[in-house]
């Protein structure tokens, strides 16, 4: 077996801890910013939707690099694995710099296009937060790529440790800039920029260590490998398009919610924070699935690929159910930390019940299982299903239920559940059919 239980624990436990840290810092940002008023928290939540859309482009390319590197490790080709690591860094830095420049230049048209109807104070906060966030894109992209390379070797402890340091810097920075200097959303964004920059530099230095199983050799010596770049992009582009459409759909959905006023925007933002906690296990398992199945596929052992897919998926369900039950039980206590109006608090509670209750049944099959398909290069199928489902259910049905039938954010979240149902059905069918095993490696 390529991964015994001990190896899986070494891979999965740090990933879960890292996701907990990421979610905790996101909640800390929201809680701290909430002290500056609902206009501030609404502006940040809207920009975070755009940030997630753009950041997912970096994550998708990193996933492509992780898949290629994992497959080369499975084939016992360390030379090609190291070469793929270097090409991944080149690609992500170049793409992230381009996105940074475009986002800063077109910040106002972008925000007006997506959220033109929001209050002036919300828009002002959104512009400030977006500019500073965009500057951090290259740092975040570099960090994600290096972390993906470590994970592809089964070493997720490094990224967990650096993530811990990054989150500590971020929280301390928030406390200083928001509370001491009263900088509001600018302080939150500046703290994130400093934290991401520090993490990126440290991760790059660690990735260049030749004692690693996979390392970046002579990073400043330009060496382009077109075949490897093509392999990375063949996975990264469809995955990036899929993720971008998903995040774009979320932005469109939030723009629909923005028509219903600041209360619903703020409730949606808070609910998203707690919902992210409920998906911690799933997000961690998504990353683990890439490494485990990618190495199995690289070794040509599809029997183990099936075995580990089922094992990781079952584990995802167990942890997801446990976490969401805890969240639902402790939700009144958690929500009391936020500085929210009674109307916002009531709506946030309803949204969290919808998400976390259904996530225990549908989320792992909708989002963790397809990563097993991606690890075997079956990226086009997952892209087609995800894009179709997002457009038809997450966007169109959200508009119909939320705006046409006047259900507001509740209607939007019901449409999300329908989206999950469709995805789960398609991905389970694809896995059972075995057609994912026929993809060219």
């Amino acid at each position: 077996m390529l991964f015994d239980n001990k190896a899986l624990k070494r891979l999965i436990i740090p990933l879960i801890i890292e996701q907990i840290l990421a979610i905790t810092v996101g909640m800390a940002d929201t809680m701290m910013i909430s002290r500056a008023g609902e206009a501030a928290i609404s502006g940040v939540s809207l920009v975070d939707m755009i940030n997630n859309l753009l950041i997912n482009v970096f994550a998708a390319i990193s996933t492509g690099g992780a898949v290629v590197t994992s497959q080369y490790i499975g084939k016992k080709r360390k030379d090609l694995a190291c070469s793929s690591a270097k090409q991944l860094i080149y690609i992500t830095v170049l793409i992230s710099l381009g996105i940074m420049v475009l986002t800063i230049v077109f910040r106002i048209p972008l925000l007006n296009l997506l959220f033109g109807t929001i209050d002036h104070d919300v828009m002002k906060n959104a512009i400030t937060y977006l500019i500073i966030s965009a500057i951090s894109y290259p740092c975040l992209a570099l960090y994600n790529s290096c972390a993906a390379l470590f994970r592809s070797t089964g070493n997720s402890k490094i990224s967990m440790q650096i993530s811990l340091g990054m989150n500590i810097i971020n929280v301390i920075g928030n406390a200083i800039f928001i509370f001491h200097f009263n900088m509001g959303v600018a302080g939150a964004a500046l703290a994130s920029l400093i934290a991401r920059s520090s993490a990126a530099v440290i991760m790059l230095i660690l990735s260049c260590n030749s004692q690693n199983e996979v390392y970046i050799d002579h990073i400043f010596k330009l060496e382009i490998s077109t075949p490897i770049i093509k392999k990375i992009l063949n996975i990264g582009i469809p995955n990036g398009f899929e993720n971008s459409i998903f995040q774009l759909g979320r932005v469109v959905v939030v723009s629909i919610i923005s028509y219903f006023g600041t209360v619903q925007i703020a409730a949606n933002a808070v609910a998203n924070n707690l919902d992210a906690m409920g998906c911690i296990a799933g997000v961690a398992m998504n990353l683990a699935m890439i490494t485990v199945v990618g190495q199995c596929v690289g070794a040509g052992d599809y029997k183990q690929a099936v075995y580990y897919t089922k094992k990781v998926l079952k584990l995802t369900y167990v942890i997801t159910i446990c976490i969401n039950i805890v969240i639902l039980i402790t939700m009144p206590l958690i929500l009391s930390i936020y500085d929210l109006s009674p109307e916002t608090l009531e709506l946030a509670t309803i949204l969290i019940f919808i998400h976390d209750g259904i996530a225990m049944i549908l989320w792992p099959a909708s989002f963790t299982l397809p990563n097993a398909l991606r690890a075997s290069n079956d990226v086009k199928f997952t892209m087609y299903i995800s894009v179709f489902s997002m457009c038809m259910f997450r966007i169109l049905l959200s508009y119909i239920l939320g705006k046409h039938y006047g259900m507001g954010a509740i209607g939007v979240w019901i449409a999300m559940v329908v989206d999950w149902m469709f995805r789960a059905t398609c991905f389970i069918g694809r896995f059972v059919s075995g057609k994912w095993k026929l993809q060219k490696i």
Side-chain angles (χ1 to χ4, degrees):
M1 304 297 287
L2 291 176
F3 291 86
D4 56 20
N5 289 335
K6 187 175 181 180
L8 285 176
K9 288 180 181 178
R10 284 199 305 267
L11 174 64
I12 292 172
I13 292 177
L15 287 174
I16 294 177
I17 295 175
E18 184 177 350
Q19 293 305 314
I20 292 173
L21 291 171
I23 299 303
T24 301
V25 169
M27 291 183 64
D29 278 346
T30 304
M31 291 175 186
M32 291 178 175
I33 294 170
S34 69
R35 303 297 177 179
E38 292 195 352
I41 192 175
S42 297
V44 170
S45 70
L46 295 178
V47 172
D48 275 342
M49 301 300 287
I50 300 175
N51 285 342
N52 289 336
L53 186 157
L54 299 174
I55 289 169
N56 268 269
V57 175
F58 318 145
I61 301 299
S62 297
T63 297
V67 169
V68 172
T69 303
S70 295
Q71 290 176 356
Y72 282 139
I73 292 173
K75 293 179 180 178
K76 309 298 182 183
R77 291 297 307 271
K78 181 175 180 177
D79 57 332
L80 293 178
C82 292
S83 180
S84 66
K86 191 172 185 178
Q87 305 309 308
L88 175 61
I89 298 300
Y90 290 159
I91 296 169
T92 51
V93 170
L94 182 62
I95 292 175
S96 62
L97 284 172
I99 291 176
M100 177 194 74
V101 172
L102 291 175
T103 301
I104 293 175
V105 171
F106 296 105
R107 60 189 182 280
I108 296 179
L110 178 63
L111 290 170
N112 284 332
L113 174 65
L114 296 173
F115 314 115
T117 61
I118 59 179
D119 296 339
H120 174 73
D121 288 343
V122 176
M123 177 62 78
K124 182 179 178 181
N125 282 299
I127 291 174
T128 300
Y129 194 71
L130 180 59
I131 292 174
I132 302 176
S133 295
I135 298 173
S136 72
Y137 290 163
C139 300
L140 189 58
L142 183 59
Y143 169 81
N144 284 339
S145 294
C146 293
L149 293 174
F150 278 109
R151 287 192 293 266
S152 68
T153 66
N155 183 357
S156 56
K157 185 177 180 181
I158 293 294
S159 59
M160 179 200 71
Q161 293 172 335
I162 302 304
S163 177
L164 174 60
M166 178 170 60
N167 291 331
I168 291 174
I169 293 173
N170 194 37
V171 170
I172 294 174
N174 279 338
I176 294 173
F177 296 131
I178 296 176
F179 296 141
H180 183 69
F181 291 107
N182 296 316
M183 294 177 64
V185 297
L190 185 58
S192 297
L193 172 60
I194 295 173
R196 290 170 178 175
S197 301
S198 302
V201 172
I202 295 173
M203 284 295 281
L204 182 59
I205 293 173
L206 293 174
S207 298
C208 293
N209 187 345
S210 60
Q211 295 183 356
N212 297 333
E213 183 177 355
V214 173
Y215 63 94
I216 303 169
D217 187 30
H218 298 100
I219 184 64
F220 296 111
K221 181 180 179 182
L222 187 61
E223 295 175 328
I224 303 299
S225 176
T226 303
I228 292 179
I229 291 177
K230 185 177 180 181
K231 285 176 69 69
I232 294 174
L233 294 180
N234 280 343
I235 299 171
I237 290 178
N239 193 29
F241 182 74
E242 173 188 338
N243 288 349
S244 297
I245 292 297
F246 179 79
Q247 295 299 329
L248 179 60
R250 294 188 66 188
V251 172
V252 173
V253 166
V254 171
S255 70
I256 295 173
I257 294 176
S258 69
Y259 282 98
F260 308 132
T262 302
V263 168
Q264 297 221 11
I265 296 174
N268 184 72
V270 172
N272 277 331
N273 276 164
L274 268 70
D275 296 342
M277 291 179 61
C279 299
I280 284 174
V283 175
M285 295 301 181
N286 290 352
L287 301 172
M289 191 77 86
I290 291 291
T291 297
V292 174
V293 177
Q295 290 196 26
C296 292
V297 170
D301 194 337
Y302 285 93
K303 184 177 180 180
Q304 287 199 59
V306 171
Y307 170 78
Y308 283 118
T309 298
K310 293 179 179 179
K311 186 169 185 174
V312 172
L313 190 62
K314 289 177 182 177
L315 186 58
T316 306
Y317 266 107
V318 171
I319 301 177
T320 299
I321 291 172
C322 293
I323 291 177
N324 281 286
I325 289 175
V326 172
I327 291 174
L328 293 177
I329 292 174
T330 61
M331 182 171 54
L333 177 62
I334 298 174
L335 289 178
S336 67
I337 301 174
Y338 292 86
D339 186 16
L340 302 172
S341 65
E343 295 83 0
T344 302
L345 187 63
E346 180 181 1
L347 180 57
T349 300
I350 295 173
L351 297 181
I352 294 165
F353 266 109
I354 292 174
H355 184 284
D356 288 13
I358 305 300
M360 291 186 280
I361 304 172
L362 295 176
W363 202 95
S366 302
F367 296 99
T368 302
L369 178 57
N371 265 11
L373 307 180
R374 295 184 184 102
S376 64
N377 290 6
D378 194 14
V379 290
K380 290 185 178 180
F381 177 81
T382 60
M383 178 186 70
Y384 294 146
I385 295 300
S386 298
V387 170
F388 175 82
S389 186
M390 172 57 69
C391 294
M392 290 299 297
F393 303 119
R394 192 69 73 96
I395 296 177
L396 181 59
L397 189 58
S398 289
Y399 179 82
I400 294 173
L401 296 180
K403 192 172 177 69
H404 183 71
Y405 285 101
M407 296 177 67
I410 294 176
V412 168
W413 286 50
I414 291 174
M416 173 193 68
V417 172
V418 177
D419 169 51
W420 290 358
M421 293 173 62
F422 179 79
R423 289 170 184 264
T425 301
C426 294
F427 294 140
I428 291 173
R430 183 70 167 187
F431 180 74
V432 172
S433 73
K435 292 181 180 179
W436 57 279
K437 302 177 185 178
L438 305 177
Q439 304 303 308
K440 182 179 180 181
I441 305 301

